[in-house]
Amino acid sequence: MADDNHETVPTPATLAQVEAAFKALTGKELKVIDRVGQTLAWPGGSAGLGWTFEDLRQEAQTRTLEGTRRWYPGEVDFVRHLAGAMRSIASEWRRRGRRWPRQLGDSMDADTDAGAQARGLRDESLSAEEAMIRREAASAELKRLRALFADDEGVSYILMGIEDNLGRAEIMKASDMTLKEYDAARNRLTRATARSKQAGGRT
Amino acid sequence: MNRKRDPDEHLEALYDELIEGALSADEATLDAMLRAEGRDPTEVVAGLRVAFDTTSRNVRTRRLREAKAQHGRSVSRLREHQQALPASPEARRGLLDRTLRRSAEAREALTLQHRDFRQMTDEDVTGLLAQLAALGALPPDEDPEGSGGER
């Protein structure tokens, strides 16, 4: 009997497809990747817990080529895949308080805790003190952005709305912003975030 | 009423929103952002192409480079063991003979490769002894200089 509810299983890209996708990245796509990576960079300050866009880019590419972070071409385009990979790596490093030294496990299944444990990597989960440092760093960055944009109504609404768990449409509606105004405010915020990191400032 | 996010969640959600902005931005906006940061869009693109190519090459050749390094380590280990073997070919053959008499396992492995030990060259004997030494299969009380000759 035919299964009407048959779902197609997503197929991960082959190594050849991944390599071809890297080579085929256009100038615009490379600029998008740069922008995403600059946004996610984290200076880390004196605690030495930071990473650069280059760290994120290299790690995302390596995991994709090694297949520990798989790309499903039928599900998501390649640039979005790379952005998602950098996003989850940055989040993982923030959660662990620092990035894993790659030399400890060159082909590690770094997207999973199980993979790290299987390779005997030390547990870099945040201690209570490190978690506090991280929370303070996040607070400091938000405080800096709020101060920087105190006179910018659009950006202030975005910051406030995200804090209140609102989606984009809700923020726009509640603040009477058009899509164009919202995008412009978000771009100002993006520029401010990246600038502080390039200058090596504490975020 | 929506629950207010803590600073950590707030920042993560903010980054998600900024990433969405980057993904949907047009090229002119991306260029303007780069220029505002004092960066040349053409140079950024060229630099990224080189960086992606370099990482691809490094990942592709990693297995080979690791295998080469491993081979180098094995060769140096064998060389070290070779230096500790008896000086004369006769003493080395004697040592091999005594080792094989003590180890049935080594004898069996060797018989598969060399049906007739007498046809082995001096180089074969030295290489084999070095491998056995690396495996820790030489008799523990063996005099490396082979001065005792046949026992």
Side-chain angles (χ1 to χ4, degrees), chain B residues 21-150:
Chain B
L23 286 165
S24 59
D26 58 38
E27 193 158 10
T29 304
L30 294 165
D31 285 349
M33 284 193 196
L34 287 170
R35 289 200 185 95
E37 291 162 2
R39 302 163 72 206
D40 179 347
T42 312
E43 281 177 16
V44 167
V45 166
L48 269 175
R49 283 201 198 287
V50 171
F52 274 120
D53 283 350
T54 305
T55 304
S56 276
R57 195 171 49 249
N58 286 344
V59 172
R60 218 171 32 241
T61 57
R62 176 183 297 154
R63 213 164 69 89
L64 202 70
R65 284 183 283 120
E66 283 173 355
K68 197 177 169 207
Q70 177 62 40
H71 176 71
R73 283 192 293 273
S74 302
V75 168
S76 354
R77 212 168 37 241
L78 283 178
R79 277 205 191 110
E80 279 169 27
H81 286 293
Q82 248 171 11
Q83 283 166 2
L85 292 175
S88 72
E90 294 74 23
R92 286 198 292 273
R93 277 182 191 269
L95 174 58
L96 179 61
D97 187 50
R98 290 192 298 283
T99 305
L100 295 179
R101 267 190 271 143
R102 287 177 185 217
S103 166
E105 210 174 282
R107 193 164 52 242
E108 192 182 330
L110 184 65
T111 308
L112 289 174
Q113 287 181 29
H114 304 277
R115 290 267 165 208
D116 186 352
F117 299 158
R118 282 167 304 182
Q119 286 181 359
M120 289 175 73
T121 64
D122 288 339
E123 267 184 14
D124 289 338
V125 171
T126 307
L128 191 61
L129 279 172
Q131 286 180 45
L132 288 167
L135 293 170
L138 289 186
D141 56 345
E142 192 58 60
D143 172 3
E145 291 310 311
S147 54
E150 289 273 342

Side-chain angles (χ1 to χ4, degrees), chain A residues 79-92:
Chain A
V79 176
R80 195 166 272 277
H81 159 81
L82 285 178
M86 287 195 288
R87 167 74 178 79
S88 69
I89 291 163
S91 182
E92 173 193 307

Side-chain angles (χ1 to χ4, degrees), chain A residues 31 34 66 87 162 182, chain B residues 5 16-17 27 39 62:
Chain A
K31 289 171 198 169
D34 174 83
E66 289 178 346
R87 167 74 178 79
I162 290 174
Y182 183 92
Chain B
R5 288 180 159 124
D16 282 344
E17 183 56 22
E27 193 158 10
R39 302 163 72 206
R62 176 183 297 154

